[in-house]
Amino acid sequence: NNFTTDASKKNMWNWLKVTKNVTLDLNGHTMTIPGELEDSSNWAAFYITDGTLTVKDSSAEKTGAIIGADKTDTSYDYKGGVYLFDLMNETSGLVIESGTFYAGGTVVNVENGTATVKGGTFSVYPDVDTHDCRYILNCLDKNYKAGTARIIVEGGTFTGYDPRNNAAE
């Protein structure tokens, strides 16, 4: 079944943390993360602290998705929502094999660790400052330069973003 996470879980102790090797098979289902969480300390769908999260969609239709819903509060100028994946430590890993991924500004944020994109469809609500999609896949600048934050792209479809030539951090 499709499901939406709880928008009231706004504190960091409510984070969905990955601390060991885990495979998430969407199997044609959609996980929706409320856009209101973007304003909280719980601003990503998955925090990967140790181990590797592998995400795939084994359904024949390939309709599985993780969606970071846009904010519904009309008082905001920026309507984007949460990030989907945040890799926090050098022992953090993410492998995306297939699925559809939509987020507010960033799908994959690598503070430290390695993300590998083998397939999938990726799009974002344009960034609040740059008004473009340059942060679909993003490494923290200083850690990228130090070699502790890495993204490897082997496949995938990206809307408004070219992983070979982009202006991300």
Side-chain angles (χ1 to χ4, degrees):
N1 291 330
N2 299 331
F3 63 96
T4 300
T5 59
D6 187 345
S8 70
K9 305 296 184 190
K10 295 186 178 196
N11 297 306
M12 62 182 167
W13 55 83
N14 298 131
W15 292 354
L16 180 51
K17 290 184 194 172
V18 175
T19 60
K20 60 183 180 177
N21 294 343
V22 176
T23 298
L24 172 61
D25 185 349
L26 299 169
N27 196 22
H29 299 289
T30 298
M31 175 182 187
T32 303
I33 314 303
E36 293 79 9
L37 289 176
E38 195 258 348
D39 285 332
S40 73
S41 63
N42 190 13
W43 48 265
F46 295 90
Y47 292 91
I48 305 165
T49 60
D50 292 295
T52 298
L53 173 62
T54 300
V55 182
K56 65 181 182 176
D57 178 16
S58 66
S59 70
E61 300 83 15
K62 300 293 183 211
T63 55
I66 301 176
I67 305 298
D70 292 339
K71 294 177 186 177
T72 56
D73 186 339
T74 57
S75 67
Y76 284 97
D77 292 334
Y78 174 64
K79 300 298 179 204
V82 299
Y83 292 5
L84 298 188
F85 306 100
D86 188 56
L87 285 75
M88 302 179 78
N89 298 311
E90 285 188 68
T91 56
S92 304
L94 172 66
V95 177
I96 298 176
E97 295 180 1
S98 56
T100 297
F101 306 93
Y102 172 82
T106 301
V107 174
V108 176
N109 185 59
V110 182
E111 295 180 48
N112 281 295
T114 302
T116 303
V117 177
K118 295 182 176 187
T121 302
F122 301 82
S123 60
V124 294
Y125 190 92
D127 180 73
V128 63
D129 295 319
T130 63
H131 307 289
D132 59 26
C133 301
R134 71 176 69 181
Y135 300 113
I136 284 180
L137 305 177
N138 188 51
C139 288
L140 190 65
D141 275 347
K142 66 179 183 173
N143 297 345
Y144 172 76
K145 290 174 185 171
T148 63
R150 298 164 297 281
I151 298 175
I152 301 163
V153 179
E154 299 173 355
T157 303
F158 302 88
T159 302
Y161 177 84
D162 181 353
R164 296 167 295 187
N165 183 23
N166 68 78
E169 292 180 304

